[in-house]
Amino acid sequence: MSGDADINFYFDPICPFAWMTSKWIRLVQAQRDYTVDWRFISLRLINAHLDYDTHFPPEYDAQHTAGLRLLRVASAAREAHGREAMGPLYAAFGARIFETDVDETRVPGWQGDPGLAAAALAEAGLPTSLADALDDTGRDAEIQAESDEALSLTGKDVGTPIVHFEPPEGVAFFGPVISRLPDEQQAAELWDHVVGLARFPGFAELKRSLREQPQLPSFGVTTQEAGKVEDWHAGSRRLKK
């Protein structure tokens, strides 16, 4: 694990809460001049031992697989163009997945489409040919290892994002999960509160499973309204048996 960055941020491209948290992190980064290492965690790989039909809503298998496909592209981009390519590429993925209006015609897994990957690569200034890595399962071992690295910092009963403060010695936590983007002043204040809590050696968890749908165009929720509240069982809306 590199100690060069101020923050290691482990993301899956199809997680809306990771996207919202990443937008907050970018606001803080601009104010505090932090360096961020954008790293991988695959929801599909960390849940590979589960039966998707009994544990998740029907669309989750396709969506999680789409996230893994995009991480393969990110892996190829990082290998060829360095870690500095990850921030722009993740931003380009997120803009196409979460900052577009609701489209009921899309089928589960649409996020892993080659056209979306190619457009995101082009926006990030990367070769569109890297979209060929969508089906490169040879990259899954690297993504699995980075996912395992993230879980080694927090324990296994978590999701994405995972934020590692001041690596390698600093503490890491799942989240914070936020559904609204703070303004610039609130962003810094929230950051200070979160880091202050995280630095207390005895702190382990502060959690509730009720979540608002995030204020993102893809959910049809504007910044002037609160999203529908849902109960995310074990942090992932798993189906009750």
Side-chain angles (χ1 to χ4, degrees), residues 112-200:
D113 179 75
L116 184 149
L121 287 161
E123 180 178 326
L126 298 167
T128 57
S129 59
L130 291 169
D132 294 342
L134 284 165
D135 297 312
D136 184 0
T137 58
R139 298 192 172 275
D140 291 0
E142 177 192 28
I143 298 167
Q144 179 73 69
E146 204 146 299
S147 300
D148 291 343
E149 172 186 292
L151 296 183
S152 75
L153 298 167
T154 60
K156 295 182 178 181
D157 189 21
V158 297
T160 176
I162 288 175
V163 178
H164 189 185
F165 306 97
E166 299 169 346
E169 291 84 6
V171 70
F173 284 100
F174 163 51
V177 174
I178 56 175
S179 60
R180 309 180 191 186
L181 185 65
D183 61 31
E184 289 188 3
Q185 180 178 343
Q186 291 171 328
E189 292 174 352
L190 179 60
W191 176 259
D192 290 337
H193 292 315
V194 170
V195 173
L197 188 60
R199 282 177 172 162
F200 177 67

Side-chain angles (χ1 to χ4, degrees), residues 26 70 73-75 77-78 85-94 117 120-121 124 126:
R26 290 179 193 272
L70 293 179
V73 173
S75 169
R78 187 170 70 181
M86 292 301 94
L89 182 57
Y90 180 31
F93 283 153
L121 287 161
L126 298 167

Side-chain angles (χ1 to χ4, degrees), residues 20 46 74 85 110 133 168:
M20 184 64 82
I46 66 175
W110 64 270

